[in-house]
Amino acid sequence: MRATWLICAKDLKARLRDRSAILIGIVVPLGLAFIFNSIFSGISGGSDVISLGVVNADHGAISQQFTSQVLPAVGRSGLIAIHPEASLTQARALAAKGTLFAVIVIPAGFSARVQVGQPASMQVIGNVDDPVSTEVARSIAESFTADLNRIRLSVATVAAGSAQPAGSVPLPPARIQALAAQAAAVAAPVAVSDVSAQTKELNQKSFFAAGMAVFFLFFTVQFGVTSLLEERNDGTLARLLAAPISRASILGAKLLTSFLLGVISMTVLAVATTLLFGATWGNPLGVAVLVVAAILAATGIMALIATLARNAEQAANWQSVVAVILGLLGGTFFPVSQAPGVLSRLTFVAPQAWFLRGLGDLRGGSISVVWVPALAMLGFAAVAGGLAMTRLRRIAEV
Amino acid sequence: MAGQPVLECCGLRRCFGRLVAVDGVGFHIDPGETYGLLGPNGAGKTTSISMIAGLLERDGGEVTVAGEPMTTRSVRAKNAIGYVPQDLAIYPDLSGRENLMFFARLYGMPTSQAKRRTDEVLTLTGLADRAGDQTKQYSGGMKRRLNIGIGLLHQPKLLILDEPTVGVDPQSRNAILESVEGLSGAGMAVLYTTHYMEEAERLCDRIGIIDHGKLIAEGTRDELVSLVGEGDQVRLSATGDLAGAAADLAARSWVRQAKALDGSIDLVVENARGELPAILTEVASVGVIVRSVEVTEPDLEAVFLHLTGRALRD
C-alpha cells in the first residue's frame, strides 16, 4: 500500500504540474458550464423564475378575477413571478430592459365586452430573444380566455334553451350573472400542472454544472490509467517493475490516481458552480454517493479502453471518442431521455445519464432515491473495471 | 572475487510466440566483478537481463541474486539489484531530486535516509547544482547520469546496466565508463550489456558473447581472444637484409610466421607486446634498420567474427 501511495503521489504531482489535468478537469468544464448557462439564460431570461408583467387597464370584474385568482395560482408554482404594472408604457420599458420577460395586457373595457358577449382580447407582449417566456405568458392568457369562452358558451346555451318564441323578453342580467357564476364554479382554475415533475428536474444552472462536470470527468480520469501506457512507452515502467514492489501496487496506484483526480475535479466543480453560478446540487451526502459511483464507473470504462490500445496516444484518442459518445448519450448537453424511440432508452447505457437522473431525483426526493442510479453506475464500474484489471496485468510487462 | 556469486543464472529461456529470444543462457558474477554481455542488436541481451532483473517471466531456467531466487514477484532479490534500463527511465516533470527521492522511497528507505542518499547520488553524478530543475530541462548527458544514479541509490549488490552509452556523446560516454570502473572498484558487481566491443574490453573482467539468444562464448578477454587461435601481427618497416632477418626470426619458438616483403617484415607471434624487445634485438643483430613498428592484436571483434562468421555490428 505504501508503494501505491508513493506512485499515486508522484503521478498526481506530475499531473498537477503539467496543468493538463487542471485544464481538463476544472477549467474547461467550469468555462463551458458558464458559457452554456449564459447562452441559455439569454433565451429563458437569465433566471429560473419567469418574471411576467401584468397591466390591468380594465379593472372590471373579469379582469379582477384574472389578476386576483388566476395569476396568484400560477405564481404559487414558484416558476413564475407576477409583477402588476401600472401602465403599458412602464411595462414595455421594463420588458425592454429585460426585467420583465413578457407582459400580459388587459385592455380597458375588456370585462364589459365579455359580459355583453362582444369580442374581446388580451394582449401578450413578448421578447423575440426570449420565446420561452413569451410562450408561457401566451399559454396563461389563452387558458383564461378559453375558460371565459367556455363559460360564455354555457350561459348562451342556457339562455337559448330558456328563450321564448319571437318577441319574448331576454334573460335578465342578474339571471345571466347567476348562470355565469354557476358555470365558473365548475370550471377548473388555471394552474401549472405536474409540479412534482418540475421539482425532480435539475434547474438550468445545476444541469449545466453537473452535465459538464460528469462529461469532463471521463476525460479527467484518463490521466491516471493512461499513465501506465506512458510509463511503458517512456521506459519508467521497467524501473517500477524492477523495484521491490508488487505489480498490483503499480496498477492500484494508477487506478487510485484516476479516482483521486476525479474526486478533486468533481469536488472543485460542485463547490465552484454552487458559489459562482448558484447551482444547487442537492443533499451533500446523496451527491457524494453519486459522485463516487460516477468516478468509479468512469475509471472502470476508461481503464478498459486504455487496455485495448497499443500506446498512450491511441488510448487517449479512443477514450476521447468513447467519452464524447457516452456524454452525448448520457444527456450531458441536452436531455436525450426526451428524444423519441430507441434514443430515449439508449441514454441509460451511459453512466452520465444515471448520474444526472440521480441528481434530479435527489432534488425532488429523499437521499434514498440515489441508490438505484448509484448501483447502476457501480455496475458499470464492476464490469468494465473487472475486465480492465485482467487486461492491465498484461500491460504491466516490459 | 571470492565468495558466493552475486548472480547465478542458468538455462535461461524465453520465447515470444515462435521466436526463441533467449535459449539456455547461463553465467555467474562474483562480488566486485564486472561482467559484460556482448552481442549485436537483437541478440537477446535485453531479454536476458529483463529475466535476471525480474521484469519478465521466463519460460525456463533459474536466477539467483545474492542467494535469493528471482521471479517477477521477488521482493528481496529485487532489493539487491540496481537496474538501469537502456531508455532514459526518469520522470520529465519531476526535478532530479524528486526523481531520486521517489525511487529511494520506493526501495523502502525512510525519509531521512532517502534524503541523505539523494544528496550523495546528486553529488556523485555531478547534478547537485541542478537538483531542483525539472529533468526535461536537463541535457542528454545529465539525464544519462541521473538514469544511472537512480540505479545506485539503494547501494545494490548487483548493478545491471543495459547499454547505458547508446546515443551518448563521447564526453558523456567516457564519464559513464569511468563511473562504472569506479563502481567495480568499490566492490559492486556489475552486469553490463553492450554491443560496443571497446567498452566490453575496457570495463569487463569477464565477457559473455551472446548471439541469436545463445551464449556462444565466455571468459576473460584473453581467454576469448585465444579462441581465435591467431597470434599478434607485427609489421616492421625496415631496410637491410630483410629476408635474412625474417629467416632468423622464423626459427624462434614464439614466432608462428615470418615473411620478408618489399620494405617490411611481417610476423605472427604469440605475444607481441612481450616479445617485441627480442624481435628488435634480433633484427638489429643482422644489420636491419627499423623505421617503424606496427602491432595488431586480435580483438573481440575478431573473436565474434571467428565464432559467428559475422561482424559484431552487422
Side-chain angles (χ1 to χ4, degrees):
Chain A
M1 198 59 197
R2 181 174 175 274
T4 299
W5 280 111
L6 279 170
I7 296 169
C8 177
K10 180 266 297 175
D11 283 350
L12 284 176
K13 186 185 286 183
R15 283 299 172 197
L16 296 177
R17 196 167 278 175
D18 78 1
R19 296 191 180 90
S20 53
I22 295 174
L23 201 66
I24 296 295
I26 294 171
V27 177
V28 175
L30 202 57
L32 279 181
F34 174 74
I35 290 168
F36 282 131
N37 204 29
S38 300
I39 291 171
F40 286 92
S41 290
I43 293 172
S44 67
S47 168
D48 297 326
V49 178
I50 298 173
S51 295
L52 288 186
V54 178
V55 178
N56 187 357
D58 177 53
H59 301 293
I62 293 174
S63 62
Q64 289 292 348
Q65 187 186 5
F66 180 66
T67 55
S68 63
Q69 293 180 22
V70 175
L71 291 182
V74 170
R76 280 195 291 275
S77 71
L79 301 173
I80 299 169
I82 305 297
H83 300 276
E85 300 299 336
S87 70
L88 181 59
T89 309
Q90 186 180 348
R92 279 185 190 279
L94 290 172
K97 279 170 60 181
T99 308
L100 297 177
F101 301 170
V103 179
I104 299 174
V105 181
I106 308 171
F110 177 81
S111 297
R113 294 177 73 84
V114 170
Q115 283 168 337
V116 298
Q118 291 182 353
S121 63
M122 296 170 76
Q123 296 170 352
V124 173
I125 300 170
N127 185 337
V128 291
D129 294 328
D130 192 356
V132 176
S133 298
T134 306
E135 196 56 40
V136 169
R138 189 193 311 280
S139 296
I140 293 170
E142 283 179 350
S143 292
F144 182 69
T145 54
D147 222 24
L148 286 179
N149 288 334
R150 184 178 56 76
I151 293 167
R152 199 156 58 175
L153 186 62
S154 302
V155 172
T157 303
V158 171
S162 60
Q164 299 298 315
S168 64
V169 179
L171 286 173
R175 174 66 180 145
I176 291 174
Q177 279 187 3
L179 285 171
Q182 268 187 298
V186 296
V190 177
V192 176
S193 61
D194 200 14
V195 172
S196 62
Q198 293 287 352
T199 63
K200 293 185 79 172
E201 286 179 10
L202 291 172
N203 62 32
Q204 179 183 294
K205 290 170 182 172
S206 307
F207 172 76
F208 284 120
M212 289 302 99
V214 75
F215 178 78
F216 281 95
L217 171 66
F218 279 67
F219 291 88
T220 306
V221 299
Q222 287 180 23
F223 290 114
V225 289
T226 309
S227 71
L228 187 66
L229 294 169
E230 289 172 356
E231 296 237 28
R232 189 174 67 175
N233 293 348
D234 295 344
T236 47
L237 180 61
R239 191 152 243 161
L240 293 181
L241 292 172
I245 58 174
S246 68
R247 288 180 188 216
S249 63
I250 301 172
L251 300 180
K254 299 303 175 185
L255 295 175
L256 182 62
T257 303
S258 283
F259 180 79
L260 290 179
L261 283 172
V263 169
I264 294 168
S265 167
M266 293 296 281
T267 305
V268 170
L269 287 174
V271 172
T273 54
T274 301
L275 296 177
L276 297 177
F277 308 153
T280 49
W281 285 65
N283 180 303
L285 184 60
V287 173
V289 170
L290 290 170
V291 164
V292 168
I295 294 169
L296 291 173
T299 302
I301 291 171
M302 291 297 107
L304 179 60
I305 302 299
T307 64
L308 301 173
R310 280 196 300 272
N311 53 50
E313 188 181 5
Q314 190 179 57
N317 291 337
W318 288 1
Q319 286 171 326
S320 298
V321 170
V322 171
V324 169
I325 291 172
L326 288 179
L328 290 173
L329 275 178
T332 55
F333 287 90
F334 47 84
V336 179
S337 58
Q338 293 172 16
V342 178
L343 203 57
S344 64
R345 291 191 291 276
L346 212 56
T347 188
F348 290 109
V349 303
Q352 292 95 328
W354 289 101
F355 178 74
L356 293 173
R357 178 182 162 173
L359 284 182
D361 290 348
L362 188 63
R363 191 160 183 251
S366 67
I367 191 173
S368 61
V369 298
V370 302
W371 294 117
V372 171
L375 285 172
M377 287 187 280
L378 290 175
F380 282 103
V383 174
L387 288 171
M389 282 303 287
T390 57
R391 295 184 61 86
L392 275 172
R393 290 180 193 281
R394 291 183 211 168
I395 291 178
E397 288 183 354
V398 288
Chain B
M1 309 239 173
Q4 186 188 30
V6 175
L7 170 68
E8 284 182 290
C9 60
C10 62
L12 289 182
R13 182 180 170 83
R14 173 72 196 207
C15 304
F16 295 103
R18 296 174 67 180
L19 173 71
V20 182
V22 173
D23 187 10
V25 168
F27 56 90
H28 75 275
I29 306 177
D30 292 320
E33 184 181 31
T34 299
Y35 187 95
L37 209 51
L38 179 69
N41 290 327
K45 303 187 296 293
T46 297
T47 304
S48 295
I49 63 168
S50 293
M51 288 187 282
I52 290 168
L55 276 68
L56 195 62
E57 299 277 4
R58 52 185 183 267
D59 295 328
E62 297 294 330
V63 179
T64 306
V65 179
E68 299 287 342
M70 172 63 85
T71 68
T72 54
R73 286 174 289 279
S74 303
V75 171
R76 275 198 276 188
K78 284 184 177 180
N79 236 331
I81 289 182
Y83 175 64
V84 180
Q86 184 175 341
D87 297 320
L88 286 170
I90 55 179
Y91 296 105
D93 290 316
L94 301 184
S95 67
R97 182 181 297 281
E98 286 169 336
N99 268 281
L100 289 166
M101 276 298 290
F102 168 68
F103 283 107
R105 300 297 312 279
L106 208 61
Y107 274 84
M109 289 183 215
T111 306
S112 57
Q113 186 189 356
K115 282 181 179 171
R116 182 175 55 78
R117 279 300 296 159
T118 293
D119 287 338
E120 288 172 2
V121 171
L122 283 169
T123 304
L124 182 73
T125 53
L127 296 170
D129 57 335
R130 298 286 304 276
D133 293 351
Q134 289 183 328
T135 59
K136 62 186 171 192
Q137 296 168 353
Y138 283 10
S139 68
M142 292 166 74
K143 289 176 184 172
R144 280 280 164 201
R145 279 183 273 155
L146 180 62
N147 197 39
I148 294 173
I150 291 170
L152 297 171
L153 263 174
H154 62 293
Q155 298 172 303
K157 292 179 178 170
L158 172 66
L159 181 68
I160 298 177
L161 294 154
D162 188 9
E163 308 217 33
T165 60
V166 169
V168 174
D169 62 88
Q171 192 178 354
S172 297
R173 184 181 176 207
N174 196 49
I176 289 169
L177 297 182
E178 283 179 2
S179 63
V180 175
E181 286 172 325
L183 293 172
S184 61
M188 188 181 290
V190 178
L191 172 56
Y192 191 98
T193 76
T194 182
H195 62 270
Y196 294 126
M197 173 264 299
E198 317 86 68
E199 290 183 8
E201 288 194 329
R202 174 175 166 179
L203 296 175
C204 301
D205 301 308
R206 286 188 302 127
I207 298 159
I209 295 178
I210 189 169
D211 189 40
H212 294 309
K214 293 187 176 180
L215 196 68
I216 55 175
E218 185 192 37
T220 63
R221 177 201 170 279
D222 291 342
E223 287 169 346
L224 289 171
V225 167
S226 70
L227 293 174
V228 180
E230 294 177 2
D232 302 340
Q233 293 183 356
V234 179
R235 169 165 289 184
L236 304 173
S237 297
T239 56
D241 182 11
L242 301 184
D248 288 348
L249 286 168
R252 301 284 184 167
S253 61
W254 38 267
V255 176
R256 294 185 187 174
Q257 190 180 340
K259 280 193 296 188
L261 302 172
D262 185 19
S264 69
I265 301 171
D266 280 5
L267 306 169
V268 177
V269 299
E270 287 180 4
N271 178 8
R273 290 177 193 273
E275 304 298 345
L276 196 56
I279 293 169
L280 295 175
T281 304
E282 184 70 35
V283 296
S285 68
V286 295
V288 169
I289 298 169
V290 177
R291 291 198 301 273
S292 67
V293 178
E294 185 183 343
V295 177
T296 307
E297 297 170 330
D299 56 16
L300 293 174
E301 184 76 49
V303 174
F304 192 83
L305 186 65
H306 173 78
L307 292 171
T308 67
R310 292 182 291 115
L312 191 55
R313 287 166 195 168
D314 280 354

